[in-house]
Amino acid sequence: MSRPLILILGDQLTESLEVIAQAPEDAVIALCEVQQEGEYVPHHPQKILLILSAMRHFADSLRDKGYQVHYSGLEDDDNLQALIPEAERLAELYGCDEIRVTHPGEWRLLAQIQARGTRWRLHEDNRFYCSLEEFDTWLEGRRRFRMEDFYRGMRKRTGLLMENGEPVGGQWNFDHDNRQPLKDDLAPPAAPRHRMDETTQATKTVVETHFDTHFGTLDGFNWAVTRRQALSDLRHFIDHALANFGTYQDAISDNEPLLFHSRLSASLNIGLLLPQEVCDAAIEAWRSGKAPINAVEGFVRQILGWREYVRGIYWQRMPGYKQENRLNARRGLPDFYWSGKTEMRCLRRALEMTRDNAYAHHIQRLMVTGNFALLCGVSPAALCDWYLAVYADAFEWVELPNTLGMTLYADGGYLGSKPYCASGKYIDRMSDHCRQCRYDVKQVTGEHACPFNSLYWHFLEKHRDRLRDNQRMKLIYGSWDKMHDDKRQAILDQAEQFLRSLKFEAPYGQGAHAQGYQRA
Ligand code: FAD
Ligand code: DLZ
Ligand code: SF4
């Protein structure tokens, strides 16, 4: 039997991967930079730089440990510029009959690999708490399934934050202590800055040369590209931000992109950190009195609960999940999602932060850019491709359920029990944007009215048949129905007029996506 080629993808940079741990001594490990992975959506240049630089560092660290590594650089003459053909070329080159690869994070790649036949051997991605098999078993036969049930099961199974079979602190969830709005005197810690070494500098030139039309700037690049840097980000979060994580989890700031969030998702998703070590570090901070239980439980829930849950749902429901569009949303993306040029302050700041950092925190994604797209009827395909492109942490297994399911309610309530639609009132309560906005958040109609307000009612009216019987929406439909007819009509007209004033890209497939992008 000949030696195997082991293909490591750009989001599989973990030495403890089963496929590496079980590698025979003579195996060739291959990492391949390819143009196609940079272009299937127009990824933010910071995301590309992060992945390529982290791949280069990872290859070096494997070589240092004695592995035989082949690295295909993006500018190599013989590079076939697509993952599967490039790996097959390398297998020929090294005389390998078998190509081993860890289960990829996106359906499109899995389908390509499976279509290649028996030469390719898939290994389990052993970096999660819950295997796909365990998730399927959990789901089997359940009529009702919600993240909270899954999360409690995972707490019991792993023993995380459990004592004598009971949740520590006597509760599963401490959200009533969490989700406070922004306070003026809050002083979130500054993120640690990572030095750009020679490898990252050289990679930056490659990214500038090959992906210069993509939305987003490289100037503020500050992502961890090595495990050592990722561990330092983790330590910084635990020491300086975790204690306030829960309390201000839902707050939005006009000038602080990070607040008390960890910004660890990219390191987790590309494999520089393992979810287990991140949760263990948070729990240790609680045990040693550095962080309160509401913060630590809230943080662990995001990773042990949401992160694992959306992955299970993605693989359980694909490929059909991506086609779901239960609200029949048909619009393209508002064109200002690529330029940030809007007078709506909350949106403008979320888009500018996205452009500058390839990052926006959860509530900006869900309740600002996501909520706006939901209210405007942007199609899941258009919005999902945008989120997949613009965030450094975006891989389809986690992006798609969050966007299509949680944000757009396009799966009809499979992931979330009600749409996360909100008027300007929510954004005003949780942020300091409105006082700096040209619109008035208190007005629903008229020239200065906050567009979120009329769009909100317009959305509810449009989807009345689908949503009105939802127990959690009854109260709000009650308020709408109590309004005078003239007032309701004026609100609907206001929303229609606003929608007409926006420029939406052509419906998905014919717009900017197909033509290439302008840098904002
Ligand atoms: P923190 O707020 O510090 O949370 C800690 C960790 O919990 C995160 O690092 C992440 O690993 C995990 N987490 C938190 N919320 C979620 C969630 N809803 N689903 C899965 N994991 C979660 N997350 C991604 O990792 N990749 C994506 O492509 C992605 N796309 C999203 C798209 C939309 C429309 C929305 C609403 C959310 C999306 N999320 C995505 C979830 C969440 O917004 C990010 O994980 C989070 O903002 C990352 O920042 P952080 O590391 O500072 O997170
Ligand atoms: C996102 C990305 C980019 C931009 N470039 C590469 C690459 O050149 N080589 C590679 O192996 N992976 C890259 N990736 C990550 C892959 O797209 C990712 O592994 C799949 O989307 C599966 O999650
Ligand atoms: Fe956003 Fe409306 Fe507030 Fe302006 S007034 S910041 S548009 S919520």
Side-chain angles (χ1 to χ4, degrees):
M1 176 102 183
S2 75
R3 58 187 178 165
L5 184 91
I6 297 178
L7 175 66
I8 303 291
L9 303 177
D11 54 354
Q12 299 179 343
L13 310 179
T14 317
E15 218 191 304
S16 59
L17 274 181
E18 180 188 287
V19 78
I20 298 181
Q22 294 177 2
E25 253 184 32
D26 60 350
V28 181
I29 297 190
L31 290 101
C32 309
E33 295 179 359
V34 293
Q35 190 81 21
Q36 193 186 51
E37 289 306 300
E39 282 178 344
Y40 71 95
V41 290
H43 300 290
H44 194 298
Q46 289 195 27
K47 177 181 181 186
I48 304 180
L49 177 53
L50 159 67
I51 290 172
L52 301 194
S53 175
M55 283 172 68
R56 291 178 182 200
H57 283 98
F58 188 67
D60 287 344
S61 76
L62 289 179
R63 272 193 206 105
D64 288 348
K65 290 184 173 124
Y67 290 98
Q68 183 181 350
V69 177
H70 177 101
Y71 196 89
S72 296
L74 198 81
E75 295 185 329
D76 293 353
D77 288 341
D78 46 4
N79 188 329
L80 296 178
Q81 303 297 353
L83 281 172
I84 311 291
E86 180 62 3
E88 291 184 349
R89 180 182 77 82
L90 298 179
E92 294 302 325
L93 190 68
Y94 289 96
C96 306
D97 289 340
E98 185 179 86
I99 303 174
R100 299 184 187 173
V101 64
T102 301
H103 192 295
E106 300 194 356
W107 176 271
R108 87 195 146 84
L109 270 185
L110 180 69
Q112 285 175 35
I113 290 168
Q114 285 175 333
R116 302 304 293 181
T118 52
R119 186 181 186 187
W120 284 77
R121 223 177 90 198
L122 275 173
H123 279 250
E124 191 181 334
D125 189 339
N126 57 324
R127 296 173 296 176
F128 292 85
Y129 281 102
C130 183
S131 69
L132 297 178
E133 206 183 353
E134 184 186 351
F135 190 83
D136 289 352
T137 308
W138 177 81
L139 206 64
E140 222 169 64
R142 262 170 213 267
R143 286 190 56 235
R144 198 191 99 102
F145 44 89
R146 286 283 167 237
M147 195 290 288
E148 190 63 31
D149 304 325
F150 169 78
Y151 167 61
R152 291 181 189 187
M154 289 302 289
R155 289 267 299 274
K156 287 184 197 153
R157 211 265 281 141
T158 58
L160 292 191
L161 292 175
M162 299 291 289
E163 251 162 26
N164 305 322
E166 296 296 323
V168 297
Q171 285 165 224
W172 291 104
N173 182 316
F174 294 82
D175 266 356
H176 60 84
D177 298 333
N178 288 344
R179 306 189 164 167
Q180 303 290 317
L182 198 67
K183 273 206 221 120
D184 279 345
D185 57 353
L186 269 187
R193 282 219 69 81
H194 298 299
R195 193 179 63 82
M196 260 206 201
D197 66 5
E198 274 174 26
T199 302
T200 306
Q201 289 288 358
T203 319
K204 183 167 177 257
T205 308
V206 172
V207 174
E208 281 164 346
T209 310
H210 293 268
F211 304 101
D212 65 329
T213 57
H214 292 196
F215 162 86
T217 59
L218 273 172
D219 308 338
F221 183 87
N222 188 27
W223 294 98
V225 294
T226 62
R227 177 157 164 79
R228 182 196 279 257
Q229 289 177 336
L231 284 169
S232 125
D233 280 357
L234 171 60
R235 182 61 18 230
H236 181 274
F237 169 69
I238 299 285
D239 291 345
H240 302 289
L242 174 62
N244 278 316
F245 174 83
T247 312
Y248 299 110
Q249 201 179 342
D250 284 8
I252 316 174
S253 162
D254 201 72
N255 51 26
E256 295 281 355
L258 201 54
L259 290 171
F260 298 95
H261 292 274
S262 68
R263 212 183 65 135
L264 293 175
S265 50
S267 289
L268 279 164
N269 295 351
I270 68 172
L272 300 181
L273 291 175
L274 289 169
Q276 293 83 352
E277 66 192 338
V278 172
C279 288
D280 288 350
I283 292 170
E284 176 49 33
W286 166 69
R287 286 200 194 288
S288 61
K290 272 194 200 158
I293 188 66
N294 68 305
V296 173
E297 186 283 315
F299 183 72
V300 168
R301 178 155 23 103
Q302 304 313 311
I303 295 179
L304 180 66
W306 277 113
R307 187 169 185 271
E308 300 280 329
Y309 187 69
V310 298
R311 175 173 181 258
I313 297 283
Y314 177 80
W315 287 109
Q316 169 67 221
R317 302 288 289 182
M318 281 299 278
Y321 200 60
K322 206 171 169 171
Q323 312 306 323
E324 291 271 29
N325 188 2
R326 302 279 179 98
L327 295 184
N328 196 24
R330 298 279 164 210
R331 286 199 163 90
L333 200 69
D335 67 346
F336 66 76
Y337 272 49
W338 297 114
S339 69
K341 288 192 182 126
T342 169
E343 291 184 296
M344 299 173 75
R345 180 82 189 182
C346 52
L347 274 167
R348 200 179 97 203
R349 292 301 293 135
L351 295 166
E352 287 170 347
M353 289 178 194
T354 301
R355 177 197 63 198
D356 296 343
N357 309 321
Y359 177 87
H361 66 68
H362 186 65
I363 297 302
Q364 290 176 304
R365 298 187 205 193
L366 183 65
M367 301 309 294
V368 181
T369 45
N371 181 26
F372 186 75
L374 169 73
L375 300 184
C376 289
V378 174
S379 78
L383 194 69
C384 288
D385 271 8
W386 185 77
Y387 280 109
L388 192 57
V390 301
Y391 293 115
D393 59 24
F395 298 91
E396 200 177 78
W397 65 267
V398 52
E399 174 276 324
L400 190 77
N402 270 295
T403 309
L404 183 147
M406 191 187 295
T407 304
L408 290 182
Y409 201 68
D411 61 4
Y414 192 82
L415 197 85
S417 54
K418 83 181 233 325
Y420 281 91
C421 53
S423 68
K425 199 171 168 185
Y426 174 87
I427 295 173
D428 191 30
R429 188 167 70 243
M430 300 312 293
S431 80
D432 55 351
H433 289 310
C434 300
R435 59 178 103 136
Q436 304 174 65
C437 186
R438 100 118 172 97
Y439 294 106
D440 182 346
V441 72
K442 301 238 157 29
Q443 291 186 37
V444 185
T445 52
E447 198 194 329
H448 299 290
C450 165
F452 273 105
N453 293 339
S454 57
L455 287 175
Y456 173 68
W457 294 116
H458 183 266
F459 171 84
L460 290 178
E461 180 57 28
K462 189 168 170 195
H463 299 292
R464 170 185 280 275
D465 287 349
R466 183 175 281 276
L467 300 178
R468 108 189 115 188
D469 294 331
N470 183 320
Q471 282 304 326
R472 299 183 61 199
M473 307 288 286
K474 281 214 154 117
L475 216 60
I476 201 69
Y477 275 103
S479 308
W480 176 236
D481 291 340
K482 267 190 229 133
M483 278 185 214
H484 199 278
D485 282 354
D486 291 351
K487 187 173 173 189
R488 282 199 307 197
Q489 193 54 51
I491 293 174
L492 297 177
D493 290 347
Q494 171 92 15
E496 287 289 342
Q497 193 190 359
F498 176 77
L499 286 169
R500 278 196 300 276
S501 76
L502 294 180
K503 276 206 199 96
F504 293 97
E505 287 182 345
Y508 179 67
Q510 300 153 39
H513 183 97
Q515 293 159 13
Y517 292 86
Q518 291 303 310
R519 203 180 259 248

